[in-house]
């Protein structure tokens, strides 16, 4: 197993009897509630204070955490086991659940190139730069490169959803982030063994370990994902099905890690299968909405805690002592990211018909932030390694730089490159439609209660006149959106096509659950759904 995921933060026992100390439980509970109160409070500030709305709540949490660290207020002691086994599975699952397979399949080649080739380029480039310019021993430099080789799916998903990035750009970035974690863990494990002098690296051993880790992860994740998909066909219990997805997210991670595979890859595989297959075939529309809302809340909940703790764990004294190493690390990280994105992007454009334009490649380069995965890998380095403090300082410094500098500047970059597209218009259009629907229901209610006694007829007439006037203005605004923006028209058409496909898939699923269709037809139904979805794009 690559990382010791059993050292959880709240597991503390008394040395005498080996039993949990009640006082320590109370202290840990108070710490947890404090972290929860601060994180959720800060996360809601952008919704209350309009001038903070331009800052994604994840970055605001990091800034607040830094402020606490500056005055030396430590909420908790962050452990790698806490991040990897408690926080990471739900965040990965939620991202995979919402990632459509048709979109992923369309950009599968560039995603694989970035996820695999990008890790190799980053590890090699950062290691060479630190060895040559900062006099860091090569094994230690390789470990730092491995820690920083994976773009963080937590950070990337949160940032791009907050900024309303183009769907395809989000798919490539999220797909790379989800898949390169497994590659980074393989590299970190192999390089750790070399740093400790336990083994020598050979291409054969690295390839064998990679195939084993990825293969076990995909196998376990696929088995659990398809198994739950077929189980949920037999009943329609939203709370039970919601609980099954939660158990599967944690279960596949722990099982895959125990069997020597990648828990990250296993969770991603399970999330993709349940989100694209199980939720369509085995869940009713109502259940699917409930489960999706649950995972959106859980992602927000965990994100709020993780990003606050990342900032709170910074030790400024250690960063100052290792400033030279951090500077070289950040510089090489930017350089290797540029080589990977532009070089592999050029290669991908030569091999596929669907090209990634230079503007989008620029956002992919600048949006390659690092976060909790990098920190967890750095913290998992054994204390017996003499340069452990330098590794942690370099990784924390680089992560902090990417979150603050890149995270805060990615929106102006996308605006300058005109890549936010019609997202602001879509939001305005959706708000106008929602208000029109709400006022129409109000008007309908007035018609139904117009004969209610003890209310003057003039009140009904005045209220109806005001609402009708507001509806008229809203309709004019909606018509203007539809006439002036071709992007809005295309989006409306796509939304309708998606609704029609979803209704067809739900009908098939209902027929399977009631026994009108043989359950062995599930694979056919899934293929039918995917073919129709593809034809609509």
């Amino acid at each position: 197993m690559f990382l010791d995921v059993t050292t959880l933060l709240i597991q503390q026992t008394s040395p005498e009897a080996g039993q949990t100390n009640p006082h320590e439980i109370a202290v840990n509970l108070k710490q947890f509630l404090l972290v929860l109160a601060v994180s959720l409070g800060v996360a809601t500030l952008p919704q209350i204070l309009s001038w903070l709305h331009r800052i994604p709540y994840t970055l605001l949490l990091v800034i607040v955490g830094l402020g606490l660290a500056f005055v030396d207020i430590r909420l908790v002691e962050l452990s790698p086991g806490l991040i990897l086994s408690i926080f990471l599975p739900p965040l990965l699952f939620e991202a995979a659940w919402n990632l459509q397979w048709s979109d992923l399949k369309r950009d599968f080649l560039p995603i694989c190139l970035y996820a695999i080739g990008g890790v190799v380029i980053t590890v090699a480039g950062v290691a060479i730069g630190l060895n040559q310019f900062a006099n860091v021993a090569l094994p230690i430099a390789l470990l730092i490169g491995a820690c920083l080789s994976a773009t963080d799916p937590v950070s990337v998903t949160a940032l791009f959803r907050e900024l309303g990035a183009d769907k395809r750009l989000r798919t490539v970035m999220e797909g790379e982030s989800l898949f390169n974690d497994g590659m980074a863990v393989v590299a970190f494990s192999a390089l750790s063994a070399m740093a400790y002098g336990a083994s020598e690296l050979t291409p054969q051993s690295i390839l064998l370990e990679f195939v084993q880790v990825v293969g076990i992860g995909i196998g376990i994740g696929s088995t659990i994902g398809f198994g739950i998909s077929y189980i949920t066909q037999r009943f329609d219990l939203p709370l039970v099905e919601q609980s099954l997805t939660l158990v599967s997210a944690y279960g596949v991670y722990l099982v895959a890690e125990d069997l020597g595979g990648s828990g990250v890859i296993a969770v991603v595989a399970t999330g993709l299968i349940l989100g694209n297959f199980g939720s369509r075939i085995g869940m009713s529309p109502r259940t699917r909405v409930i489960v999706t809302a649950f995972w959106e809340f859980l992602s927000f909940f965990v994100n709020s805690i993780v990003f606050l703790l990342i900032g709170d764990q910074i030790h400024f004294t250690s960063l100052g002592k290792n400033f030279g190493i951090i500077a070289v690390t950040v510089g090489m990280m930017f350089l290797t990211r540029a080589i990977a994105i532009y070089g592999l992007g050029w290669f991908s454009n030569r091999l596929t018909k669907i090209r990634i334009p230079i503007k989008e490649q620029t956002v992919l380069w600048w949006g390659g932030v690092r976060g909790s995965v990098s920190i967890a890998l750095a913290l998992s380095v054994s204390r017996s390694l003499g340069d452990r403090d330098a590794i942690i300082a370099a990784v924390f410094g680089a992560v902090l730089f990417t979150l603050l500098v890149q995270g805060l500047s990615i929106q102006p970059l996308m605006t300058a490159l005109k890549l936010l597209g019609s997202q602001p218009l879509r939001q305005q259009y959706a708000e106008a439609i929602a208000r029109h629907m709400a006022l129409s229901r109000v008007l309908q209610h007035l018609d139904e209660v117009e004969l209610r006694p003890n209310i003057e007829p003039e009140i009904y007439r005045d209220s109806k006149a005001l609402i009708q006037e507001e509806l008229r203005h809203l309709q004019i605004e909606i018509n203007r959106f539809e006439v002036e923006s071709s992007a809005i028209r295309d989006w409306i058409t796509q939304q309708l096509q998606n609704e029609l496909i979803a209704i067809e898939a739900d009908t098939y699923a209902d027929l399977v659950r009631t026994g009108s269709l043989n359950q062995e037809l599930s694979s056919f139904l899934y293929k039918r759904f995917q073919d129709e979805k593809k034809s609509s794009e």
Side-chain angles (χ1 to χ4, degrees):
M1 191 161 134
F2 294 106
L3 293 169
D4 182 11
V5 297
T6 61
T7 311
L8 301 181
L9 176 68
I10 59 174
Q11 184 180 358
Q12 299 180 7
T13 58
S14 60
E16 296 81 10
Q19 296 181 349
T20 304
N21 188 324
H23 176 70
E24 291 176 346
I25 292 179
V27 171
N28 288 329
L29 181 59
K30 289 179 180 179
Q31 287 181 328
F32 173 74
L33 292 176
L34 176 61
V35 171
L36 189 60
V38 174
S39 59
L40 293 180
V42 173
T44 56
L45 280 179
Q47 306 302 323
I48 300 174
L49 303 176
S50 58
W51 58 277
L52 285 176
H53 195 65
R54 293 180 177 272
I55 304 177
Y57 78 93
T58 49
L59 297 183
L60 189 61
L61 286 162
V62 174
I63 295 172
V64 172
L66 284 173
L68 295 174
F70 183 76
V71 296
D72 201 26
I73 297 177
R74 306 294 173 178
L75 297 174
V76 294
E77 186 63 30
L78 196 62
S79 72
L82 186 68
I83 294 177
L84 291 176
S85 60
I86 302 298
F87 291 156
L88 195 56
L91 293 170
L92 290 169
F93 186 93
E94 190 271 341
W97 171 276
N98 290 302
L99 191 61
Q100 296 183 0
W101 173 248
S102 58
D103 297 332
L104 187 64
K105 184 170 60 175
R106 178 190 58 200
D107 293 303
F108 193 70
L109 178 61
I111 287 173
C112 287
L113 287 174
Y114 289 147
I116 299 175
V119 169
V120 174
I121 293 172
T122 300
V123 172
V126 171
I128 293 172
L130 287 172
N131 182 254
Q132 296 295 317
F133 302 115
N135 296 321
V136 177
L138 187 59
I140 303 302
L142 287 168
L143 273 183
I144 295 175
C147 290
L148 294 169
S149 60
T151 54
D152 186 15
V154 179
S155 309
V156 172
T157 301
L159 282 172
F160 273 67
R161 286 181 183 176
E162 283 283 318
L163 298 178
D166 179 74
K167 185 178 180 181
R168 192 206 173 194
L169 185 62
R170 259 194 344 259
T171 299
V172 175
M173 179 66 83
E174 292 176 10
E176 177 201 2
S177 301
L178 287 170
F179 291 123
N180 65 10
D181 284 325
M183 185 70 178
V185 172
V186 173
F188 179 83
S189 176
L191 294 170
S192 295
M194 187 185 75
Y196 301 142
S199 66
E200 293 183 2
L201 289 179
T202 63
Q204 293 84 357
S205 64
I206 294 176
L207 181 61
L208 179 63
E209 189 170 15
F210 174 75
V211 172
Q212 173 186 332
V213 168
V214 174
I216 292 175
I218 293 176
I220 293 175
S222 301
T223 301
I224 298 297
F226 282 114
I228 293 178
S229 298
Y230 285 109
I231 289 174
T232 54
Q233 289 183 12
R234 289 165 160 69
F235 53 82
D236 183 22
L237 300 172
L239 292 179
V240 174
E241 295 175 71
Q242 176 180 290
S243 301
L244 281 174
T245 60
L246 180 62
V247 171
S248 69
Y250 284 105
V252 296
Y253 181 88
L254 296 174
V255 171
E257 289 286 324
D258 285 339
L259 295 179
S262 170
V264 170
I265 297 296
V267 173
V268 170
T270 303
L272 283 172
I273 291 170
L274 289 177
N276 290 272
F277 177 70
S279 65
R280 296 289 178 180
I281 301 303
M283 296 182 182
S284 67
R286 174 174 170 267
T287 300
R288 190 164 62 246
V289 170
I290 291 174
V291 174
T292 300
F294 166 76
W295 281 103
E296 287 178 356
F297 164 74
L298 192 59
S299 175
F300 169 78
F301 179 83
V302 176
N303 265 328
S304 300
I305 297 174
V306 168
F307 281 90
L308 177 70
L309 294 183
I310 286 177
D312 188 53
Q313 296 304 301
I314 299 296
H315 292 272
F316 291 98
T317 303
S318 179
L319 294 183
K321 291 180 180 178
N322 295 278
F323 181 79
I325 295 177
I326 295 172
V328 174
T329 301
V330 170
M332 293 306 300
M333 194 171 59
F334 272 97
L335 178 60
T336 54
R337 179 72 178 170
I339 294 172
I341 293 298
Y342 292 113
L344 297 175
W346 174 85
F347 185 65
S348 174
N349 288 342
R350 301 272 296 186
L351 295 179
T352 61
K353 296 180 180 180
I354 303 177
R355 299 173 60 85
I356 301 179
I358 292 295
K359 287 184 177 181
E360 294 189 0
Q361 291 182 30
T362 301
V363 174
L364 291 172
W365 164 62
W366 193 253
V369 298
R370 273 67 168 180
S372 57
V373 175
S374 297
I375 289 176
L377 291 175
L379 290 174
S380 68
V381 174
S382 173
R383 296 184 184 276
S384 63
L385 196 64
D387 296 302
R388 181 177 185 270
D389 290 341
I391 294 174
I392 293 176
V395 172
F396 266 76
V399 168
L400 184 61
F401 184 89
T402 61
L403 285 174
L404 295 182
V405 176
Q406 293 172 245
L408 290 174
S409 59
I410 194 168
Q411 183 175 10
L413 175 64
M414 294 179 68
T415 302
L417 295 175
K418 299 180 179 179
L419 287 178
L420 287 180
S422 60
Q423 182 66 23
L425 286 178
R426 290 182 187 179
Q427 182 63 29
Q428 295 175 27
Y429 178 81
E431 290 174 356
I433 289 291
R435 181 154 176 75
H436 191 282
M437 292 175 61
L439 289 178
S440 297
R441 290 186 181 182
V442 172
L443 189 62
Q444 181 181 358
H445 180 73
L446 278 175
D447 291 334
E448 294 173 354
V449 301
E450 188 171 359
L451 299 179
R452 181 178 295 177
N454 303 322
I455 298 181
E456 297 294 331
E458 290 79 8
I459 296 178
Y460 286 110
R461 287 196 296 269
D462 293 344
S463 299
K464 290 177 68 173
L466 289 173
I467 295 172
Q468 289 171 345
E469 180 66 15
E470 181 67 18
L471 283 171
R472 188 179 67 82
H473 287 299
L474 282 172
Q475 190 60 54
I476 293 173
E477 184 179 359
I478 291 171
N479 293 338
R480 178 176 59 81
F481 279 124
E482 295 173 351
V483 171
E484 296 180 0
S485 175
S486 60
I488 289 293
R489 292 196 299 272
D490 293 341
W491 180 65
I492 295 172
T493 303
Q494 184 63 53
Q495 291 293 103
L496 177 60
Q497 290 174 338
N498 290 340
E499 290 174 10
L500 297 178
I501 294 171
I503 291 172
E504 181 183 1
D506 291 337
T507 304
Y508 291 145
D510 289 337
L511 292 173
V512 170
R513 280 192 294 271
T514 58
S516 300
L517 283 179
N518 194 312
Q519 292 185 8
E520 294 178 358
L521 291 176
S522 294
S523 59
F524 159 74
L525 301 180
Y526 176 66
K527 183 177 184 301
R528 169 70 172 160
F529 169 72
Q530 292 295 338
D531 290 343
E532 291 220 12
K533 190 172 178 25
K534 181 178 179 181
S535 65
S536 70
E537 294 178 345

